[in-house]
């Protein structure tokens, strides 16, 4: 008799869908919203420091705001997590991660209708959305990963590949395939984002609602081991 082991937040399918959306976000903000990458904040932090050094206070603020929005997204995801876990003690109803996915869909739909003069606000909003997503979905099959950036996945995948080559560990080989697979899905999302943005402009962001709504629906399924 198979035993239920919980909903599918750590499944490879959900990781792939979320990563496609993550790649799309980055391509979209770069091509359509001012040539920036809103998913990760390293570049914004570097440019914040550069502009502070040059005493460009207002320009520095434009880089500080996405960083703060990212931090706020992490905070909100944690609040939703704690609140959701308290209500999910009986194991019924919506999972707390589903509330985060629904919030993403609503915010993305709003951002898609913002005109070009609000690019800074859109990039801040997408930074916020990415923070919630990366905080809520942190593992695939027990291994830590990110759905909105690739550096950590590339490091971890390569590390597991080296371990497999040195030891023949089948689990390391499996984890390496997961990490590189996630990177390929990110590339796929970026390519899709480029094509759709070229065809649809600002409204292209609405396309990401499809994989996110699929994630929301799939999470009603309980995996079995």
């Amino acid at each position: 008799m198979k035993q239920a082991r919980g909903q599918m937040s750590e499944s490879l399918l959900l990781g792939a869908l979320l990563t496609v959306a993550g790649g799309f976000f980055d391509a979209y903000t770069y091509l359509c919203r001012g040539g920036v990458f809103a998913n990760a904040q390293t570049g914004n932090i570097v440019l914040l420091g550069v502009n502070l050094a040059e005493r460009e206070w207002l320009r520095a603020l434009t880089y500080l705001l996405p960083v703060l929005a990212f931090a706020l997204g992490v905070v909100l995801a944690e609040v939703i997590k704690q609140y959701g876990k308290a209500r999910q003690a009986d194991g019924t109803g919506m999972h707390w991660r589903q509330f985060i996915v629904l919030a993403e869909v609503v915010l993305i739909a709003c951002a898609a209708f913002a005109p070009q003069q609000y690019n800074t606000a859109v990039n801040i909003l997408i930074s916020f959305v990415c923070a919630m997503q990366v905080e809520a979905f942190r593992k695939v099959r027990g291994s830590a990963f990110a759905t909105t950036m690739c550096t950590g996945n590339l490091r971890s995948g390569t590390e597991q590949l080296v371990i497999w080559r040195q030891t023949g560990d089948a689990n390391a080989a499996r984890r390496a395939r997961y990490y590189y697979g996630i990177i390929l899905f990110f590339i796929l999302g970026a390519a899709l984002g480029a094509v759709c943005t070229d065809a649809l402009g600002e409204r292209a962001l609405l396309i990401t609602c499809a994989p996110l709504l699929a994630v929301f629906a799939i999470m009603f399924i309980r995996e079995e081991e």
Side-chain angles (χ1 to χ4, degrees), residues 53-186:
E54 295 176 350
R55 298 183 181 180
E56 295 285 349
W57 312 121
L58 290 178
R59 190 167 178 82
L61 183 62
T62 65
Y63 295 109
L64 174 62
L65 290 176
V67 174
L68 294 177
F70 193 94
L72 183 59
V74 172
V75 171
L76 181 59
E78 282 299 308
V79 169
I80 293 173
K81 176 182 176 180
Q82 297 304 320
Y83 178 76
K85 282 187 172 181
R87 296 196 59 179
Q88 290 294 120
D90 59 356
T92 61
M94 283 175 51
H95 192 277
W96 64 269
R97 290 185 177 93
Q98 289 175 291
F99 288 105
I100 288 178
V101 172
L102 281 183
E104 283 191 66
V105 170
V106 172
L107 294 174
I108 286 166
C110 293
F113 289 96
Q116 284 290 305
Q117 58 263 39
Y118 295 107
N119 281 352
T120 298
V122 170
N123 290 329
I124 290 171
L125 191 59
I126 292 178
S127 294
F128 180 80
V129 164
C130 288
M132 289 198 299
Q133 179 172 306
V134 79
E135 180 67 12
F137 298 91
R138 301 171 63 176
K139 291 184 179 181
V140 166
R141 296 301 187 200
S143 297
F145 86 119
T147 61
T148 63
M149 57 198 82
C150 288
T151 304
N153 296 335
L154 180 60
R155 184 206 65 80
S156 297
T158 304
E159 177 187 60
Q160 294 300 316
L161 187 63
V162 171
I163 292 172
W164 169 67
R165 291 290 296 173
Q166 290 177 338
T167 67
D169 184 353
N171 287 328
R174 173 180 54 80
R175 287 190 289 267
R177 289 196 300 270
Y178 287 164
Y179 281 116
Y180 285 115
I182 289 296
I183 291 171
L184 289 176
F185 278 111
F186 192 92

Side-chain angles (χ1 to χ4, degrees), residues 3-66:
Q3 295 180 338
R5 70 178 186 92
Q7 53 83 242
M8 296 180 64
S9 61
E10 293 188 17
S11 70
L12 184 59
L13 174 59
L14 257 67
L17 290 169
L18 291 165
T19 305
V20 167
F24 196 113
F25 292 151
D26 245 5
Y28 173 83
T29 57
Y30 182 79
L31 294 172
C32 187
R33 296 296 186 173
V36 302
F37 295 112
N39 289 17
Q41 299 306 309
T42 302
N44 286 331
I45 291 172
V46 170
L47 292 170
L48 171 62
V50 169
N51 282 279
L52 287 175
E54 295 176 350
R55 298 183 181 180
E56 295 285 349
W57 312 121
L58 290 178
R59 190 167 178 82
L61 183 62
T62 65
Y63 295 109
L64 174 62
L65 290 176

